[in-house]
Amino acid sequence: MAEASNAVLRCTNLHRHLGQGEGRVHVLRGVSFEAERGQVCAIVGPSGCGKSTLLYLLGLLDKPGEGQITINGQLMSNHDDAARTAARCAHIGFVFQFHFLMLEFTALDNVMMPMRKLGRLTPEEMMARAHALLTSVGLGEKTHRLGTQLSGGEQQRVAVARALANQPAIILADEPTGNLDVKNSAVIFDLLTSLAKENGQAVVLVTHNPDIANRCDSVRPMRDGLFV
Amino acid sequence: MSPNLRIAFRFLTAKKRAMLMSLSCIVLGVGLFVITQATTSGFEKFFIKTILGTNGAMRVQDKIQDTMRSMAAGGENSKFRISSREGRKYIEGIEEPQLVVNALMKFANVSGASIVLNSPAILRNDSKTDSIKIFGINLDDHLRVSDLASQIVDGKLEDFRNSPSGILIGRELCNRQGLAIGDSIIIDARGQQRRYRISAIYETGVSDIDRAYVYLNMGEARSLLKKPTGATYIQVNLIDKDRAPEDAVHIEEVLQHQARSWQWREKPWLSAFKALSISSAITTSVFTLIAGLAMLNTLAMIVIEKTKDIAILRSMGYERKDITQIFLWQALIVLAIGTSVGAALGYAGTYAVSRIPMPVTGIFRTETFQVYISPWHYVAAVLMAAVMVMGASIIPARRAARMEPGDIVRGTST
């Protein structure tokens, strides 16, 4: 029971089809999963097994064909787009493989963007928090650089800081080190996990990298749309 | 600055060149609209001013006589008859002009009334002759209903006032006949020939008037035309000239004399000016239409290029309406800059055009382009640009908002 109460994210019997007509594929075939506060969970498996699709469903970026997703005990999968968007803003931080920074903005602006939308802090508090986050990922000297003026590893560090901006309960990372060299991969993973653990956040990451997966608290292998 | 506006501004600066096309078209559309409307309105207003200064705001003329038709109510032998108004008959001229003038002056909007006696005549000067129209006027009354004083280009009105045989003659007629101040001519009317001396020369700029109208003092005109009483019409000046049609109806009902407003009298010209104004508005609106299409194209490109940014924003909690707003803000920023610069260009252009020498005579006389600056031209130009640009922006903005972030991240967004 203690374990169950610690689960911040839970999904049961998720189904998802992708494509149309003859190309329609049953990607997720009744997946159930839960993520706990302060724990880092890796989802691994071959390409096309449904890892990323599951991650986007858990992040409320997509709607399941069937099944339920609850965040902090609140059923979210059946809510409308506005409610799911609000939940993303308040409870979920994303880190994507290709950094996905907004390149016309500075590192500071990128980190402040989720805070500006949430609107919980004053502009001065947002600025201070963004500075603190960028400093914690080692970019305290590069806060005013545009996305285009940062290296791949630096961009991903900004993405990590941005994911943590609103102090979300859940961090979802889709191959966060997939586009980085070994050294940078280790740096990003350490940053993500240490910062998340400090704040008691649940981290779910999809990875192909066995070294990264082995360093997580739990590993959930997937095959053909199901956990094995 | 709101987060959406901040993002819109950055997106916009990233597509400066593409936005410049839309911006240029808005500037040109608004600027040219303002200039063309200012010039067409300017010439229209100038025409109206000329025509009001010459022919007055209203004319009261032929007397109205109602005609009646009656029928027996109970068959042929019945003594009961029902009468009904069949129509109106007009009796040419005004029998008691002074009584009509006295009644006219009681209307609140009437500022002056001048009795006019008018007849065709022949002007003879040596061997040359010209068909003219003579107008018998009481000078002081007529100065209150016309701009005759300011239309005098040679000679003095005082000479006309003090000389019973003095006449006022148009410059065009003078030129045709080779006449000058002090020259004498013969006017042939109703079988009488009398000699007159030119006291002053006027110029209205209206060819039909300047080559045919000759003013005589009323006493002399009555004597020449053998009309000791009555008048052809009464020229009326109004305080609020735009109310002339309503006043004409009222005056006609009360005084039982036909009353014609300047709007009725000059309807063909006013319609021509209106058509010209609409036509130029349509022509210049092509620029704003292109601005709208350019905006549609640019925003559509931004939607395609910023697909990933849209997904990031959506993943961070930005709602569909935020995405719509971000794109509409971009259009609004360009629109605001475009209309402001366009309005400034329009104002500067209007001023520049008003300085262009352009001698015109015929329907009026002017040496330069006539312009009329109205805030409504600016309002219309901005509204037109706003409708076209914002209308065109809604399509890409809504398309961007409809995108599913999951599809974009997976790379399957279409």
Side-chain angles (χ1 to χ4, degrees):
Chain A
M1 288 297 288
E3 275 184 15
S5 66
N6 213 23
V8 67
L9 171 67
R10 179 177 291 141
C11 70
T12 48
N13 193 31
L14 282 188
H15 286 264
R16 180 72 169 104
H17 292 81
L18 289 177
Q20 303 264 320
E22 289 181 359
R24 189 171 162 84
V25 181
H26 197 171
V27 181
L28 294 180
R29 300 163 182 264
V31 174
S32 296
F33 172 83
E34 61 180 45
E36 294 175 2
R37 288 186 177 87
Q39 295 290 302
V40 181
C41 176
I43 300 172
V44 295
S47 295
C49 70
K51 307 183 295 291
S52 295
T53 303
L54 174 62
L55 200 75
Y56 302 147
L57 283 176
L58 295 176
L60 308 177
L61 288 175
D62 202 356
K63 260 186 147 177
E66 201 180 309
Q68 292 185 332
I69 300 165
T70 58
I71 292 175
N72 287 331
Q74 202 174 1
L75 182 64
M76 295 307 306
S77 49
N78 296 338
H79 278 39
D80 62 10
D81 185 74
R84 287 186 295 125
T85 305
R88 274 202 302 275
C89 188
H91 304 301
I92 303 170
F94 284 94
V95 181
F96 299 104
Q97 180 182 358
F98 295 103
H99 331 314
F100 275 21
L101 287 193
M102 295 180 71
L103 298 176
E104 288 88 7
F105 292 82
T106 62
L108 198 68
D109 277 334
N110 268 284
V111 178
M112 286 174 73
M113 218 164 271
M115 292 190 259
R116 284 195 177 114
K117 178 57 195 168
L118 193 62
R120 272 188 199 149
L121 305 176
T122 64
E124 291 75 24
E125 288 169 337
M126 288 182 205
M127 184 85 80
R129 178 161 174 74
H131 262 293
L133 284 167
L134 285 168
T135 304
S136 67
V137 297
L139 292 173
E141 301 296 312
K142 297 182 177 179
T143 55
H144 290 285
R145 289 212 182 163
L146 293 176
T148 47
Q149 295 166 335
L150 297 170
S151 69
E154 287 171 336
Q155 285 188 28
Q156 196 62 311
R157 279 193 267 168
V158 175
V160 170
R162 187 181 62 190
L164 297 165
N166 284 343
Q167 293 180 292
I170 306 151
I171 306 286
L172 301 175
D174 187 8
E175 301 197 41
T177 60
N179 208 32
L180 302 175
D181 56 31
V182 175
K183 188 184 164 196
N184 269 313
S185 294
V187 170
I188 292 296
F189 179 78
D190 290 343
L191 269 174
L192 192 59
T193 53
S194 63
L195 290 170
K197 277 180 180 286
E198 274 173 29
N199 297 305
Q201 289 155 323
V203 179
V204 180
L205 62 90
V206 164
T207 183
H208 280 112
N209 185 334
D211 294 337
I212 295 288
N214 289 335
R215 293 176 62 193
C216 293
D217 297 321
S218 60
V219 180
R220 300 293 307 269
M222 271 188 90
R223 189 182 297 270
D224 296 332
L226 282 169
F227 283 120
V228 289
Chain B
M1 194 188 288
S2 80
N4 295 349
L5 178 57
R6 188 186 297 266
I7 295 166
F9 194 74
R10 287 292 173 84
F11 277 7
L12 201 59
T13 49
K15 295 293 289 179
K16 273 183 269 192
R17 280 190 188 173
M19 279 296 178
L20 207 59
M21 166 74 178
S22 196
L23 185 70
S24 316
C25 288
I26 296 171
V27 169
L28 275 177
V30 171
L32 290 178
F33 184 92
V34 166
I35 293 169
T36 54
Q37 291 305 301
T39 50
T40 50
S41 300
F43 280 116
E44 182 184 8
K45 299 271 178 204
F46 194 70
F47 169 76
I48 291 169
K49 183 179 177 296
T50 303
I51 221 71
L52 288 177
T54 309
N55 289 335
M58 193 191 294
R59 276 188 183 181
V60 176
Q61 42 201 32
D62 304 341
K63 189 178 180 185
I64 297 167
Q65 191 176 55
D66 290 331
T67 56
M68 306 293 284
R69 179 173 61 184
S70 62
M71 62 185 284
E76 272 188 23
N77 299 324
S78 171
K79 290 181 179 175
F80 294 100
R81 304 188 77 79
I82 297 170
S83 299
S84 65
R85 188 171 286 182
E86 190 178 52
R88 284 177 158 184
K89 187 176 151 189
Y90 293 97
I91 299 168
E92 195 180 332
I94 303 167
E95 285 176 13
E96 297 287 350
Q98 195 52 54
L99 290 179
V100 177
V101 166
N102 293 344
L104 275 169
M105 293 309 290
K106 286 178 182 161
F107 284 84
N109 197 31
V110 172
S111 63
S114 170
I115 298 166
V116 178
L117 191 61
N118 162 233
S119 171
I122 302 290
L123 184 145
R124 300 184 193 283
N125 172 36
D126 297 332
S127 58
K128 296 178 195 166
T129 61
D130 252 311
S131 293
I132 58 165
K133 285 179 183 171
I134 52 172
F135 291 82
I137 55 169
N138 295 309
L139 182 61
D140 291 328
D141 290 344
H142 208 70
L143 292 179
R144 280 192 279 273
V145 300
S146 72
D147 293 336
L148 191 57
S150 62
Q151 289 163 348
I152 298 298
V153 290
D154 201 1
K156 288 178 185 167
L157 275 179
E158 278 309 302
D159 292 346
F160 175 73
R161 194 197 310 272
N162 298 328
S163 164
S165 64
I167 59 166
L168 300 176
I169 189 167
R171 172 175 260 176
E172 208 171 319
L173 183 58
C174 266
N175 292 344
R176 282 162 64 93
Q177 293 273 351
L179 297 168
I181 297 291
D183 288 354
S184 70
I185 48 97
I186 292 169
I187 292 178
D188 185 343
R190 306 234 171 139
Q192 283 200 84
Q193 288 190 350
R194 288 194 190 175
R195 184 168 291 275
Y196 295 95
R197 205 175 60 81
I198 298 170
S199 303
I201 298 169
Y202 69 85
E203 184 175 20
T204 64
V206 183
S207 292
D208 288 347
I209 294 172
D210 293 348
R211 69 165 171 245
Y213 286 23
V214 174
Y215 293 98
L216 276 68
N217 283 302
M218 182 59 91
E220 186 56 35
R222 288 199 184 285
S223 170
L224 177 68
L225 299 174
K226 298 175 190 167
K227 278 210 72 165
T229 60
T232 312
Y233 64 85
I234 295 168
Q235 188 162 316
V236 180
N237 198 12
L238 300 176
I239 297 162
D240 180 0
K241 291 166 178 68
D242 292 334
R243 269 182 47 193
E246 293 85 353
D247 284 339
V249 173
H250 193 194
I251 285 168
E252 196 166 295
E253 283 298 317
V254 174
L255 301 184
Q256 287 298 296
H257 279 75
Q258 190 185 55
R260 294 292 191 217
S261 67
W262 64 272
Q263 290 94 333
W264 185 91
R265 197 175 64 223
E266 308 299 339
K267 201 173 177 181
W269 277 110
L270 294 177
S271 301
F273 278 115
K274 195 172 182 182
L276 195 63
S277 170
I278 292 170
S279 148
S280 61
I282 290 169
T283 308
T284 51
S285 67
V286 169
F287 283 99
T288 33
L289 180 68
I290 294 170
L293 292 174
M295 181 62 77
L296 173 72
N297 183 48
T298 307
L299 288 184
M301 280 196 310
I302 293 177
V303 170
I304 293 166
E305 287 181 15
K306 299 291 177 190
T307 302
K308 283 186 179 175
D309 287 12
I310 292 166
I312 297 166
L313 290 168
R314 296 281 286 129
S315 74
M316 286 190 292
Y318 282 76
E319 297 166 50
R320 290 190 197 280
K321 67 177 183 190
D322 291 318
I323 306 298
T324 305
Q325 272 179 19
I326 287 167
F327 282 88
L328 291 183
W329 266 124
Q330 293 176 65
L332 206 60
I333 292 167
V334 175
L335 183 69
I337 297 169
T339 51
S340 303
V341 177
L345 175 79
Y347 188 82
T350 303
Y351 177 77
V353 163
S354 72
R355 301 277 150 183
I356 295 173
M358 200 189 119
V360 174
T361 52
I363 58 169
F364 44 68
R365 181 173 63 87
T366 175
E367 297 301 322
T368 56
F369 253 88
Q370 292 299 312
V371 298
Y372 173 69
I373 296 170
S374 163
W376 293 110
H377 296 155
Y378 292 82
V379 171
V382 170
L383 275 180
M384 192 168 65
V387 167
M388 291 202 187
V389 170
M390 296 312 290
S393 306
I394 286 171
I395 300 163
R398 292 185 69 172
R399 181 177 150 77
R402 274 202 307 270
M403 285 179 166
E404 289 296 341
D407 290 344
I408 299 168
V409 177
R410 252 197 313 270
T412 57
S413 179
T414 52

